[in-house]
Amino acid sequence: MSDRKQEFEALVEPHLDALFGYCLRLTRNRADAEDLLQEGLYKSFRGLAGFERGTHFKAWVFRIVTNAWISHQRREQRRPQPQDLDAVADVETAVQQEVYDAETNWGVVYQEVVDDEVKRALDELPDEFRLPLLLSSLGDLRYKEVAAALDLPLGTVMSRLFRARQKLRRALRDYAVERGLETTGVSK
Amino acid sequence: MNCADFRDLLNPFLDSELEVEQNVACLKHVELCPTCAERVSQERHLHERIVSVGREPLAAAARVGLLGEVFARVEAEDAVRGGRLPRWPLALAAALLLSLGGVWFVRSDPLCWWGCSTHALLLQAQSRLQEEPQSLAEIEQLIHRSVDCPPLVGSEVRGCQTLLSEGCPCHPLVRYSLPNNDEICYVALPGGHQHVGKERQLPDGRRYVVGRSPELRFVGWKRDDGTLAVCMPTCNMPDEKLFVLAAALRGP
């Protein structure tokens, strides 16, 4: 038991901040984030025998935390209803958005945006987009590892990551516009 | 590669998910195209912002407490598991009991409990011994076959009665008169359910079934055809004599 504890501590310690940040972005509050992290760590420690030494521990533990979150969501029945994610409902709107995107000075948006707005934009993303983006960005998981963690095809993961970043960019631009910043024009 | 091609590959390029050749092509394009280079720079900046806001330092106390609680929870669960009686001996005992119960149930011939014709026929025979018997010929005419009537030296057949049972029209109950006015009767009953009495083994090695209750008194034995041959006294007769007569009827 003692050896296992030491080994687990050594493995998980470098990733605790990233894991906690991930849990916080999933749950949106510290108390729930700590509960989720504890549950994830408990399951990881219980399943440590199943971890192949020499493989990517971070991806493994992120995957377990993600499963704990999905299970929690199912239990609470708070999981958002699945949306028709890959369908473009309104082609005209999509085209307009592309034009608007092209006219946006993203340099201004990214420079002026504050941390709270980035957090808010992340929190407002639906789980379907938020989970792949957080796993990829915070967990440093490869696409195939994200696909395994979420039990999704690789193509779906790529598509959702693309759309997650697109939604995030647009949300940040909207915050910048709300604050009266000039966001149109050529990027510097 | 033009700018449109590059935009299609922007995300996997940023995430280092491209194959080597595609990656090299993207790098060349970025080197030559300031607009796309700027876009890459901005997207990397956004990625860093996401990572930056996503990385929440966990307080040292919380860090220690968190792992401590995880380990304590696991230890507590393991302790409970260790203190609990293992389940396999209980399961084994239950299986053993069930098996023994099953064997006992089968050996005890449960069909007899749920309406045993042998027992009912014996009671019927006992009650009919009070009646006057008919002749063998009359019975044979009635049952359309000859009566099974084993010889008994020194006696004569006094008559016969029939025992009626469901599924078996009639069983002849043969009555023998002995010289000293004793009388016994003999009947072969189907099924041969020996539970109706207690089994005994005589010194010659042969097994008998002995019935002795307020309502029944008999000595029986299982015949080769599976039926139970029964010898009953009609009067008060010592057991030893009944055994001798039964053995005589049974033959060698």
PDB file of all heavy atoms in Angstrom, chain B residues 30 41 45 49 53 70 158 172 174 205 207 227 238 250:
ATOM      1  N   VAL B  30       3.694  29.344 -43.812  1.00  0.00           N
ATOM      2  CA  VAL B  30       3.724  30.365 -42.739  1.00  0.00           C
ATOM      3  C   VAL B  30       4.941  31.276 -42.921  1.00  0.00           C
ATOM      4  O   VAL B  30       4.877  32.496 -42.702  1.00  0.00           O
ATOM      5  CB  VAL B  30       3.745  29.694 -41.354  1.00  0.00           C
ATOM      6  CG1 VAL B  30       4.027  30.700 -40.254  1.00  0.00           C
ATOM      7  CG2 VAL B  30       2.432  28.987 -41.093  1.00  0.00           C
ATOM      8  N   SER B  41       0.215  33.058 -34.877  1.00  0.00           N
ATOM      9  CA  SER B  41       0.682  33.708 -33.656  1.00  0.00           C
ATOM     10  C   SER B  41      -0.506  34.013 -32.729  1.00  0.00           C
ATOM     11  O   SER B  41      -0.451  33.780 -31.522  1.00  0.00           O
ATOM     12  CB  SER B  41       1.435  34.982 -34.042  1.00  0.00           C
ATOM     13  OG  SER B  41       1.598  35.777 -32.924  1.00  0.00           O
ATOM     14  N   HIS B  45      -1.460  32.403 -29.134  1.00  0.00           N
ATOM     15  CA  HIS B  45      -1.698  33.281 -27.991  1.00  0.00           C
ATOM     16  C   HIS B  45      -3.001  32.867 -27.288  1.00  0.00           C
ATOM     17  O   HIS B  45      -3.065  32.772 -26.058  1.00  0.00           O
ATOM     18  CB  HIS B  45      -1.772  34.731 -28.484  1.00  0.00           C
ATOM     19  CG  HIS B  45      -1.984  35.715 -27.380  1.00  0.00           C
ATOM     20  ND1 HIS B  45      -1.048  35.936 -26.389  1.00  0.00           N
ATOM     21  CD2 HIS B  45      -3.032  36.541 -27.099  1.00  0.00           C
ATOM     22  CE1 HIS B  45      -1.517  36.838 -25.549  1.00  0.00           C
ATOM     23  NE2 HIS B  45      -2.713  37.225 -25.952  1.00  0.00           N
ATOM     24  N   ARG B  49      -3.622  31.471 -23.517  1.00  0.00           N
ATOM     25  CA  ARG B  49      -4.591  32.077 -22.578  1.00  0.00           C
ATOM     26  C   ARG B  49      -5.502  31.001 -21.981  1.00  0.00           C
ATOM     27  O   ARG B  49      -5.812  31.033 -20.794  1.00  0.00           O
ATOM     28  CB  ARG B  49      -5.444  33.132 -23.297  1.00  0.00           C
ATOM     29  CG  ARG B  49      -4.681  34.350 -23.763  1.00  0.00           C
ATOM     30  CD  ARG B  49      -4.156  35.177 -22.593  1.00  0.00           C
ATOM     31  NE  ARG B  49      -5.187  35.777 -21.771  1.00  0.00           N
ATOM     32  CZ  ARG B  49      -5.770  36.959 -22.023  1.00  0.00           C
ATOM     33  NH1 ARG B  49      -5.412  37.654 -23.083  1.00  0.00           N
ATOM     34  NH2 ARG B  49      -6.682  37.447 -21.210  1.00  0.00           N
ATOM     35  N   VAL B  53      -5.629  30.296 -18.046  1.00  0.00           N
ATOM     36  CA  VAL B  53      -6.802  30.411 -17.162  1.00  0.00           C
ATOM     37  C   VAL B  53      -7.245  29.036 -16.663  1.00  0.00           C
ATOM     38  O   VAL B  53      -7.907  28.928 -15.639  1.00  0.00           O
ATOM     39  CB  VAL B  53      -7.997  31.126 -17.853  1.00  0.00           C
ATOM     40  CG1 VAL B  53      -7.619  32.519 -18.276  1.00  0.00           C
ATOM     41  CG2 VAL B  53      -8.532  30.302 -19.003  1.00  0.00           C
ATOM     42  N   VAL B  70      -8.092  10.600  -0.274  1.00  0.00           N
ATOM     43  CA  VAL B  70      -8.197   9.480  -1.231  1.00  0.00           C
ATOM     44  C   VAL B  70      -7.615   8.215  -0.614  1.00  0.00           C
ATOM     45  O   VAL B  70      -8.246   7.145  -0.621  1.00  0.00           O
ATOM     46  CB  VAL B  70      -7.466   9.823  -2.552  1.00  0.00           C
ATOM     47  CG1 VAL B  70      -7.306   8.581  -3.421  1.00  0.00           C
ATOM     48  CG2 VAL B  70      -8.219  10.898  -3.315  1.00  0.00           C
ATOM     49  N   ARG B 158     -57.367 -70.327   0.991  1.00  0.00           N
ATOM     50  CA  ARG B 158     -58.750 -70.215   1.456  1.00  0.00           C
ATOM     51  C   ARG B 158     -59.603 -69.414   0.476  1.00  0.00           C
ATOM     52  O   ARG B 158     -60.790 -69.647   0.327  1.00  0.00           O
ATOM     53  CB  ARG B 158     -58.758 -69.548   2.833  1.00  0.00           C
ATOM     54  CG  ARG B 158     -60.128 -69.534   3.453  1.00  0.00           C
ATOM     55  CD  ARG B 158     -60.113 -68.868   4.809  1.00  0.00           C
ATOM     56  NE  ARG B 158     -61.490 -68.600   5.213  1.00  0.00           N
ATOM     57  CZ  ARG B 158     -61.877 -67.578   5.911  1.00  0.00           C
ATOM     58  NH1 ARG B 158     -60.979 -66.692   6.311  1.00  0.00           N
ATOM     59  NH2 ARG B 158     -63.127 -67.426   6.247  1.00  0.00           N
ATOM     60  N   PRO B 172     -54.840 -59.105  -6.624  1.00  0.00           N
ATOM     61  CA  PRO B 172     -55.416 -60.216  -5.846  1.00  0.00           C
ATOM     62  C   PRO B 172     -54.744 -60.368  -4.488  1.00  0.00           C
ATOM     63  O   PRO B 172     -53.519 -60.343  -4.390  1.00  0.00           O
ATOM     64  CB  PRO B 172     -55.143 -61.444  -6.724  1.00  0.00           C
ATOM     65  CG  PRO B 172     -54.682 -60.913  -8.028  1.00  0.00           C
ATOM     66  CD  PRO B 172     -54.105 -59.577  -7.776  1.00  0.00           C
ATOM     67  N   VAL B 174     -54.415 -62.966  -1.801  1.00  0.00           N
ATOM     68  CA  VAL B 174     -54.624 -64.411  -1.611  1.00  0.00           C
ATOM     69  C   VAL B 174     -54.544 -64.739  -0.127  1.00  0.00           C
ATOM     70  O   VAL B 174     -53.633 -64.266   0.562  1.00  0.00           O
ATOM     71  CB  VAL B 174     -53.553 -65.226  -2.379  1.00  0.00           C
ATOM     72  CG1 VAL B 174     -53.836 -66.720  -2.280  1.00  0.00           C
ATOM     73  CG2 VAL B 174     -53.484 -64.783  -3.827  1.00  0.00           C
ATOM     74  N   GLY B 205     -29.018 -62.886   5.007  1.00  0.00           N
ATOM     75  CA  GLY B 205     -28.593 -61.806   4.109  1.00  0.00           C
ATOM     76  C   GLY B 205     -29.732 -61.188   3.342  1.00  0.00           C
ATOM     77  O   GLY B 205     -29.551 -60.138   2.707  1.00  0.00           O
ATOM     78  N   ARG B 207     -33.118 -59.113   2.584  1.00  0.00           N
ATOM     79  CA  ARG B 207     -33.702 -57.912   3.174  1.00  0.00           C
ATOM     80  C   ARG B 207     -35.226 -58.015   3.152  1.00  0.00           C
ATOM     81  O   ARG B 207     -35.818 -58.483   2.179  1.00  0.00           O
ATOM     82  CB  ARG B 207     -33.280 -56.665   2.395  1.00  0.00           C
ATOM     83  CG  ARG B 207     -31.811 -56.343   2.549  1.00  0.00           C
ATOM     84  CD  ARG B 207     -31.416 -55.139   1.719  1.00  0.00           C
ATOM     85  NE  ARG B 207     -30.007 -54.833   1.882  1.00  0.00           N
ATOM     86  CZ  ARG B 207     -29.506 -54.122   2.873  1.00  0.00           C
ATOM     87  NH1 ARG B 207     -30.322 -53.630   3.797  1.00  0.00           N
ATOM     88  NH2 ARG B 207     -28.228 -53.897   2.957  1.00  0.00           N
ATOM     89  N   THR B 227     -42.049 -55.283  -7.964  1.00  0.00           N
ATOM     90  CA  THR B 227     -43.217 -55.138  -7.086  1.00  0.00           C
ATOM     91  C   THR B 227     -42.844 -55.484  -5.655  1.00  0.00           C
ATOM     92  O   THR B 227     -41.797 -56.096  -5.392  1.00  0.00           O
ATOM     93  CB  THR B 227     -44.359 -56.066  -7.539  1.00  0.00           C
ATOM     94  OG1 THR B 227     -43.848 -57.402  -7.563  1.00  0.00           O
ATOM     95  CG2 THR B 227     -44.867 -55.690  -8.915  1.00  0.00           C
ATOM     96  N   PRO B 238     -47.197 -64.294  16.295  1.00  0.00           N
ATOM     97  CA  PRO B 238     -45.870 -63.790  16.673  1.00  0.00           C
ATOM     98  C   PRO B 238     -45.052 -63.390  15.438  1.00  0.00           C
ATOM     99  O   PRO B 238     -45.195 -63.991  14.371  1.00  0.00           O
ATOM    100  CB  PRO B 238     -45.215 -64.973  17.385  1.00  0.00           C
ATOM    101  CG  PRO B 238     -46.297 -65.944  17.649  1.00  0.00           C
ATOM    102  CD  PRO B 238     -47.406 -65.693  16.679  1.00  0.00           C
ATOM    103  N   ARG B 250     -41.701 -66.511   0.048  1.00  0.00           N
ATOM    104  CA  ARG B 250     -40.703 -65.877  -0.824  1.00  0.00           C
ATOM    105  C   ARG B 250     -39.916 -66.927  -1.605  1.00  0.00           C
ATOM    106  O   ARG B 250     -39.546 -66.707  -2.747  1.00  0.00           O
ATOM    107  CB  ARG B 250     -39.751 -65.025   0.030  1.00  0.00           C
ATOM    108  CG  ARG B 250     -38.757 -64.235  -0.796  1.00  0.00           C
ATOM    109  CD  ARG B 250     -37.935 -63.318   0.098  1.00  0.00           C
ATOM    110  NE  ARG B 250     -37.060 -62.477  -0.670  1.00  0.00           N
ATOM    111  CZ  ARG B 250     -36.296 -61.539  -0.167  1.00  0.00           C
ATOM    112  NH1 ARG B 250     -36.324 -61.314   1.157  1.00  0.00           N
ATOM    113  NH2 ARG B 250     -35.530 -60.823  -0.929  1.00  0.00           N
TER     114      ARG B 250
END
